[in-house]
Amino acid sequence: QVQLVESGGGLVQAGGSLRLSCVASGRTFGSYSMGWFRQAPGKEREFVAGISWSGGRTYYADSVKGRFTISRDNAKNTLYLQMNSLKPEDTAVYYCAAGSFGSGVYYYTEPGKYNYWGQGTQVTVSS
């Protein structure tokens, strides 16, 4: 069982930056692949970024590539999402998720593949 708690959201002007954190409970954080997803009002939850259990492999949605950076610190049971050059279309509730995948699989873009979810943190980007 893994419990995830996100923080770091807020209101920022376009072009600004935010850093989201996701703290996991339990001693097995380092064995899970992790992902960030977001959901805007009236839209489906979408994949933002994923990272392998070791942190050695990262993946990004095209919409955030070059602007967002996912990282993790397994010693601190913490996942991060550094968001730079924010745009109004980045406005959404951001969720972290943990998944236990098969050998050689480091991420999925489908939310249903992940086993555990945080409660979400709101990010609002004003124009």
Side-chain angles (χ1 to χ4, degrees):
Q1 187 78 11
V2 176
Q3 291 184 326
L4 304 171
V5 179
E6 302 97 333
S7 62
L11 173 64
V12 63
Q13 288 188 332
S17 297
L18 282 174
R19 188 194 197 200
L20 305 184
S21 298
C22 170
V23 178
S25 65
R27 295 177 290 178
T28 60
F29 173 74
S31 66
Y32 287 93
S33 292
M34 299 294 297
W36 285 102
F37 289 75
R38 66 186 181 187
Q39 188 166 18
K43 295 188 176 182
E44 293 186 351
R45 192 168 297 190
E46 65 172 357
F47 174 82
V48 174
I51 189 167
S52 60
W53 63 271
S54 68
R57 295 175 184 256
T58 58
Y59 314 90
Y60 298 93
D62 288 343
S63 59
V64 306
K65 202 171 294 182
R67 299 188 298 122
F68 291 10
T69 302
I70 188 172
S71 62
R72 66 191 297 165
D73 185 337
N74 287 346
K76 296 182 178 179
N77 278 14
T78 304
L79 174 74
Y80 302 100
L81 185 68
Q82 178 67 44
M83 305 186 296
N84 299 329
S85 302
L86 283 162
K87 304 175 181 180
E89 52 263 44
D90 295 318
T91 295
V93 177
Y94 283 70
Y95 300 89
C96 64
S100 182
F101 306 140
S103 176
V105 180
Y106 301 105
Y107 79 104
Y108 282 103
T109 61
E110 299 90 341
K113 295 291 188 180
Y114 290 77
N115 305 97
Y116 304 102
W117 290 87
Q119 83 290 347
T121 185
Q122 176 70 47
V123 172
T124 303
V125 184
S126 63
S127 57

